[in-house]
Amino acid sequence: CDWSSDVCSSDLDNRNRTAADLRLAFSKHGGNLGESGCVSYLFDQRSVLRLIRTPPEDALIEILVALEEAGGPAVLSYQMEADGTEVQGAYSDLEALLEGLRRHGLAVESWEHRWIASTLCRLEDPDQLRACLRMLDALDELDDVRSVTSNLEADEALIESLMASAG
């Protein structure tokens, strides 16, 4: 898909097989496999922690500020949702964030390092979006691929309509 950039993390037990599988998946779906790291400037690696039973937003902000004021790591962003909150910090701060959030009484459900798109590519054409979504699915299905991250951005209603018509 020429309209977005994707980062694939893989287990490299067999680098040649993995590269061949990736090249084939990209080629079948109209994309191009670039050199290792060629789109990494479009993404940031971050620490991502998922909180459950999150307090109200005002109380959460107070906890995050108190954590930083006590010498802990800064939280770069957070996103509250109905089923919990996702907190992002610097890549190197994962363990310190985990300990600090727990010390302040927050229940951490999961934590990981994740690629986060810093430059988004918005698609509004249904055909282009469909092609990109198919390619992302194909990449995600590969045995040696651990994760796929894309800088693709699209209207939620358009994605839902494409998903409904595909099912």
Side-chain angles (χ1 to χ4, degrees):
C1 177
D2 292 329
W3 309 282
S4 70
S5 299
D6 311 305
V7 172
C8 297
S9 298
S10 60
D11 295 320
L12 293 176
D13 292 336
N14 185 333
R15 187 178 176 105
N16 291 334
R17 180 189 68 215
T18 302
D21 289 347
L22 286 169
R23 191 173 295 106
L24 181 61
F26 274 100
S27 178
K28 276 185 173 181
H29 295 88
N32 297 302
L33 178 63
E35 293 296 319
S36 181
C38 70
V39 297
S40 61
Y41 71 96
L42 298 171
F43 298 84
D44 295 317
Q45 275 201 299
R46 297 257 177 96
S47 296
V48 179
L49 299 95
R50 180 99 183 136
L51 308 176
I52 52 176
R53 295 183 308 276
T54 309
E57 188 169 16
D58 291 346
L60 177 63
I61 291 171
E62 285 181 25
I63 291 170
L64 298 178
V65 169
L67 175 64
E68 188 174 353
E69 287 176 349
V75 169
L76 301 176
S77 68
Y78 68 91
Q79 178 68 41
M80 297 186 85
E81 299 169 0
D83 61 341
T85 299
E86 189 172 279
V87 175
Q88 292 184 17
Y91 180 85
S92 60
D93 289 341
L94 181 62
E95 288 183 31
L97 271 173
L98 177 60
E99 291 171 13
L101 293 171
R102 285 181 170 165
R103 193 171 48 253
H104 281 84
L106 297 175
V108 180
E109 178 181 34
S110 63
W111 58 94
E112 66 181 336
H113 284 121
R114 187 186 306 161
W115 288 99
I116 306 291
S118 57
T119 304
L120 296 175
C121 176
R122 183 151 185 85
L123 284 183
E124 296 179 7
D125 179 271
D127 293 331
Q128 290 178 346
L129 180 58
R130 185 179 296 109
C132 284
L133 293 174
R134 284 183 181 151
M135 184 181 68
L136 291 171
D137 282 342
L139 294 171
D140 197 41
E141 292 297 318
L142 294 175
D143 291 337
D144 293 329
V145 171
R146 237 180 316 136
S147 67
V148 177
T149 303
S150 178
N151 68 346
L152 178 63
E153 179 182 52
D155 182 67
E156 192 67 33
L158 177 57
I159 293 173
E160 288 174 12
S161 72
L162 290 175
M163 301 291 275
S165 67

